[in-house]
Amino acid sequence: MKEAGYEIAAFGGDGTGPEVVREGLKILAALAEGAPGRWHVTEYPGGGEYFLRTGREWEPEAEAAAHRADAILLGAVGWPGATLPNGDLAGRALVLGLRERLDLFANVRPCRLYPGVTHRISGEYREVWAPKNVDLVIVRENTEDLYTPVRGRLTRAGTTEVAVDTRLITQKGAERVIRYAFELARQRSRGAPEDGVRRLTCVDKSNVLEGCRFFRETFDRVGGEFPEIERDYAYVDAFTQWLVRSPEHYNVVVAPNMMGDIITDLAAVLQGGMGFASGGNIGAEHAMFEPVHGSAPKYAGKNQVNPFATFFAVEQMLRWLGDHHSDRALTLQADRLEAAIARTLAGGRVRTYDQGGQVTTSEAGDRLAAAVRAEAR
Ligand code: IPM
Ligand code: MN
C-alpha cells in the first residue's frame, strides 16, 4: 500500500484515444468519491498528431512522468501521415517504446463476453457463443519475437533489395511470460467454462519454427512447477479455428509476441469486438493499460466509439495496483468497477454504434459513472 496515493500518468494520444481516456478518467473520478486520495491522475499530450505539430512524439517531462508513474493509462497512437524519419510509426515511443524501456514483458488481454453484449461473429446467434462460454485470458509476450528492434533494409544505389526482421525468442523472455501465465492460471478463480479445469494453452508453431520449439520446451519446463495446471498445446493455425469453434475450452493462453498480437484481435470478436478489448502491459515494476482498438482516426471527435475497452483497462489497472502493492482497497475498487460494468451492460441497454445502438461515448461514461456511484451505496 502506498500512503501518499498512486500516481497515474494518462495519455490520450491520437484519434479517438483522448475521447475514451476522458471517459476512463470520469470513471476513476466516480470511484474516487468513495476513496479520496487513493490516486492522482495527470494527463499528458503525445502521439503521432502531436509529432506532426511539434516535431516531437512527446515532451521529456511526459516521458519522465511515464517512467515515474505507478501506472500508465494510454488511449491509442497512430495518425495518418505521421511517420518518424526512419519510417516508424510516430507515437511508437508511447506504446512500443514504453514496452521496451519499462520492460513490460507480459501483455495480458482478457476476453470475456458479458451478458447484454453481442459477439461479432456474422450470422445467427448461437448458444456456443453465449456469455458463459467466453471467459479466457490471452497472455502475449511483449518485448521480443518479431518486435525485436533488430531489423533493417539493404539499400544499394537507392533501391531496397532486402528487408529483414529478426525473430528472437530468448530464454529470459519466454520463461518470464510463461511463468506469469502459469501463475495467472493458478490465481484465477475460474477454470475453463467447458469443464472448470485450470488450463494453460501454449500457442505456437513448434512444428516448424525453432524459436517456437524453444518456447514450448520452456513451457514444459516451467509447467513442471505447476502440477495443478493442465498443460494444453495448439499450433497457431489450428488454434484460430478452435478458438472460434470452442471458446469454452480455453482458460489462460500464452503465446509469443506476433502470434499473440494476431490471436488477440481474433479473440476480441468473441467478446463483442475491439470496443471491449483491453490489455495490460505488465513488467516487474511498471505497468501500462490500454484499450486495444487503436486510434480509429475516421471516428475521431465524433463522440461515437465504444469506451468499454477503456473501462476494462481501468479495471485491469486498479486490479494490478491492488495486487502489486498488496492493497486490498484497490482490489475492492476493481471489483466494484467490474460489477458496475456488468450491470451497465446487462440487458443490452447501453449499446454504442458498434453494438447496433445509439449511445454515445460520453453517455456510456455517464451511465457507468452512475452505476459506480450506485454500487457504492
Ligand atoms: C497492439 C497493437 C500494437 C502492436 C501496434 C499499435 C504497434 O496492434 O497493441 O496489439 O502491434 O502491438
Ligand atoms: Mn494488435
Side-chain angles (χ1 to χ4, degrees):
M1 190 176 130
K2 208 174 155 192
E3 288 299 335
Y6 303 97
E7 290 295 336
I8 297 172
F11 295 88
D14 291 316
T16 55
E19 294 165 55
V20 292
V21 165
R22 188 176 313 131
E23 298 314 307
L25 299 187
K26 189 188 275 180
I27 302 312
L28 273 175
L31 285 164
E33 288 169 17
R38 303 297 313 174
W39 53 73
H40 316 279
V41 182
T42 314
E43 285 185 82
Y44 299 92
E49 210 184 341
Y50 189 82
F51 176 79
L52 287 183
R53 251 182 310 132
T54 66
R56 293 179 299 277
E57 293 177 276
W58 52 357
E59 297 304 320
E61 173 207 338
E63 182 175 0
H67 284 240
R68 206 174 49 230
D70 292 299
I72 301 163
L73 181 65
L74 173 69
V77 296
W79 192 250
T83 24
L84 300 176
N86 69 357
D88 277 351
L89 172 83
R92 90 180 283 289
L94 284 73
V95 192
L96 299 172
L98 283 176
R99 289 179 188 167
E100 286 158 17
R101 270 174 313 195
L102 301 180
D103 202 16
L104 309 176
F105 63 84
N107 196 327
V108 182
R109 299 188 162 178
C111 174
R112 185 168 175 197
L113 180 62
Y114 279 76
V117 177
T118 311
H119 69 72
R120 298 296 300 276
I121 297 173
S122 171
E124 296 293 303
Y125 183 89
R126 292 197 12 212
E127 182 59 23
V128 68
W129 298 311
K132 66 176 173 47
N133 287 330
V134 180
D135 185 8
L136 61 137
V137 182
I138 300 179
V139 180
R140 160 188 174 190
E141 200 289 321
N142 213 27
T143 58
E144 55 183 44
D145 187 352
L146 278 169
Y147 283 68
T148 318
V150 179
R151 57 175 73 94
R153 288 174 179 230
L154 173 62
T155 305
R156 287 189 282 223
T159 306
T160 297
E161 296 183 9
V162 183
V164 187
D165 297 283
T166 313
R167 182 167 194 260
L168 286 179
I169 304 289
T170 68
Q171 168 161 353
K172 173 179 167 183
E175 180 161 348
R176 63 188 180 174
V177 77
I178 287 166
R179 177 162 284 113
Y180 185 96
F182 272 110
E183 271 159 13
L184 181 66
R186 179 189 268 166
Q187 276 161 28
R188 277 197 102 201
S189 51
R190 308 177 288 269
E194 173 184 71
D195 49 14
V197 169
R198 282 157 192 265
R199 174 176 296 123
L200 179 62
T201 305
C202 182
V203 172
D204 59 47
K205 189 73 183 174
S206 56
N207 49 346
V208 181
L209 302 177
E210 198 57 44
C212 282
R213 267 200 283 277
F214 187 42
F215 193 83
R216 192 179 280 208
E217 277 162 34
T218 308
F219 176 81
D220 280 329
R221 179 167 54 77
V222 174
E225 299 167 32
F226 297 85
E228 73 278 32
I229 309 298
E230 183 185 288
R231 265 177 270 163
D232 185 44
Y233 307 86
Y235 297 139
V236 64
D237 47 351
F239 177 78
T240 59
Q241 44 155 343
W242 293 338
L243 176 67
V244 175
R245 211 171 58 191
S246 317
E248 65 277 11
H249 178 69
Y250 298 102
N251 177 26
V252 182
V253 173
V254 66
N257 202 347
M258 185 77 251
M259 292 172 187
D261 179 43
I262 297 166
I263 63 176
T264 49
D265 274 22
L266 174 65
V269 174
L270 299 166
Q271 74 190 119
M274 296 301 279
F276 294 92
S278 69
N281 300 266
I282 314 286
E285 292 305 328
H286 297 273
M288 171 174 80
F289 300 84
E290 49 176 347
V292 184
H293 48 59
S295 60
K298 105 174 171 208
Y299 292 99
K302 294 196 171 148
N303 195 26
Q304 199 185 349
V305 293
N306 186 346
F308 275 91
T310 304
F311 301 152
F312 286 117
V314 170
E315 184 215 326
Q316 274 191 284
M317 177 172 78
L318 296 174
R319 205 172 289 291
W320 179 81
L321 282 169
D323 285 350
H324 189 69
H325 296 274
S326 306
D327 188 340
R328 181 101 188 103
L330 270 277
T331 307
L332 287 174
Q333 290 283 36
D335 289 345
R336 197 176 141 207
L337 175 53
E338 192 190 357
I341 292 174
R343 280 208 311 161
T344 304
L345 291 171
R349 288 182 303 273
V350 179
R351 286 184 187 272
T352 42
Y353 86 97
D354 53 317
Q355 283 280 302
Q358 253 123 52
V359 172
T360 65
T361 311
S362 56
E363 278 163 9
D366 292 341
R367 295 286 290 271
L368 180 59
V372 161
R373 294 193 181 96
E375 207 61 48
R377 285 197 286 270

